[in-house]
Every structure is written in C-alpha cells, then in structure tokens.
Amino acid sequence: MKHAEEQDRQSRLLDEQRQLWIDAFSHARHDWLNDLQMIVGYMQLRKYDKLAACVEMLKQRMTEESRTSKLGSPGLVEALLTVRARARSFAFRLAIDERFQLRSGADAAELAVRSLIAGFEEASAKGERGTENALACAFANEQADAAIMFTYQGAYSEGALRRTVNELRKQLRPLAPASSLRASFGADVASVTVRLPSALGK
C-alpha cells in the first residue's frame, strides 16, 4: 500500500515537473512571437532606430539565457529558466556577469534562488494591487565571493518577505556556514543579497 502511494506521489511530482517545462516553453514561445511581430512592425514602418534597440534587447536576452545554461548546477539553471512560468505577480529580469562561474556552493545558491523567488512571489501577491512589480536578479563575483543580488520594486508584504529571509538564513547555515545574507526593506522597494565565499570566478 505504501509502495503504491509513493509511486503515485512520484508520478504526480513528475507530471508537475513536465507541466512546468511545458509552461516555460509556452511562455518563451509567446515572448519570441511578440518580439518577432515587433521587429516586423518596425521594419514595415521603417523605424530603424527602434528596430536596432529591439534587436539589441533580444541579443541581451539570448546572452543571459546562454550564461544561465552554463552556471553548472542543473537545479539552479532550472529555477532560473522556469521562473517566468512560475511567477505571475511581477516581471523578472536576470543579469549574469560574463566572468561569473559557480565552482562550488551550488546547493546553497539553488536554495537561495528558489527560496527568494518564491518569497518575493508570495510577498508581491499579498501587496496592494494596481502597481507594476518587477524583480531583478543579478549574479556577480565580488573579490573571492559570489554574490546573488535580488532587487524588487513594487507593492509587497514586508512581513511575508521578512519571514522568507529569516527562514533562508537558518537553512543556509548548515549548507554554507561562511555565507552571508543582507536584506533591506523600504516603501515599494526591497533588496536581498546572498554572498557565497566558496564560489569563485575565473
């Protein structure tokens, strides 16, 4: 009986994972179609200055997707590439420094990214309506540390976000004892930075 229940649970988890990737690909396809229509529109209207800006934006997105896929941690890559399929209450922007490389501390990095994205999603969903919310995530090397920086703009529940930060701080201790977490909370803006000393850049 327990074996059958475990099989059912595993099957449901696999189906959820498959659906997540289907949603992620569907979202990406929708974005690319919109971008293509924009390019065609600018070409037809001969608005070449706007066309150049649009193409540059697409190049930047492709660069970030390429850098994401090379982070070296499958779980971290999945969390970042599927975030737009998960998050419904804010726009998500990602920036990865071209020299960034995660040599170790992958479990801690994945935990931080998954926890904070979910935390910002919960906090923004509980915020006041009628605002345009945005979450930016950046990866960079700072001396011997790897820094993962989240910056949020828009309405949010400070209490909900504080709970996420406090819980993450506890969870990081056994995984990365030398890590640090810094957070600030303001009116319609919040930031969280996780530093992992064990992750080095080239």
Side-chain angles (χ1 to χ4, degrees):
M1 184 67 177
K2 289 184 178 180
H3 180 66
E5 291 177 352
E6 179 62 20
Q7 283 187 322
D8 288 343
R9 190 183 72 85
Q10 292 293 338
S11 179
R12 288 195 300 272
L13 289 175
L14 181 59
D15 286 343
E16 290 174 2
Q17 197 69 14
R18 287 170 174 165
Q19 187 60 51
L20 175 62
W21 278 106
I22 290 171
D23 291 344
F25 282 124
S26 177
H27 193 285
R29 175 180 174 275
H30 183 266
D31 283 348
W32 283 111
L33 284 175
N34 283 346
D35 294 333
L36 181 59
Q37 290 175 347
M38 190 181 302
I39 289 174
V40 172
Y42 286 148
M43 290 179 64
Q44 291 174 339
L45 295 173
R46 297 185 179 182
K47 294 185 177 181
Y48 300 118
D49 55 336
K50 293 186 177 181
L51 176 61
C54 183
V55 171
E56 187 60 34
M57 178 189 68
L58 293 180
K59 286 171 59 180
Q60 181 64 26
R61 187 193 304 169
M62 292 174 66
T63 297
E64 296 304 340
E65 290 178 355
S66 176
R67 291 175 183 172
T68 302
S69 67
K70 296 175 182 177
L71 283 174
S73 167
L76 180 58
V77 171
E78 179 200 43
L80 291 169
L81 290 182
T82 60
V83 63
R84 291 182 178 88
R86 298 175 187 267
R88 305 295 182 185
S89 57
F90 53 70
F92 182 72
R93 295 190 298 273
L94 178 64
I96 301 175
D97 187 272
E98 62 181 349
R99 295 161 295 185
F100 183 85
Q101 186 176 17
L102 196 63
R103 294 180 183 271
S104 61
D107 289 344
E110 180 184 348
L111 171 65
V113 167
R114 288 188 183 277
S115 297
L116 289 171
I117 288 175
F120 276 109
E121 173 70 9
E122 178 187 3
S124 62
K126 292 181 178 180
E128 296 180 2
R129 299 299 179 184
T131 60
E132 294 185 4
N133 305 325
L135 178 64
C137 176
F139 289 73
N141 292 114
E142 296 181 355
Q143 298 179 350
D145 297 350
I148 305 173
M149 298 159 284
F150 284 87
T151 304
Y152 176 84
Q153 292 183 318
Y156 73 101
S157 166
E158 182 177 327
L161 187 57
R162 282 186 180 276
R163 286 192 295 272
T164 294
V165 169
N166 291 336
E167 183 62 26
L168 175 59
R169 187 176 279 113
K170 295 177 184 177
Q171 293 174 333
L172 282 174
R173 286 171 187 163
L175 278 178
S179 65
S180 65
L181 191 157
R182 185 177 70 253
S184 65
F185 309 91
D188 293 337
V189 63
S191 65
V192 182
T193 298
V194 176
R195 295 172 68 97
L196 302 171
S198 59
L200 304 176
K202 287 184 177 180

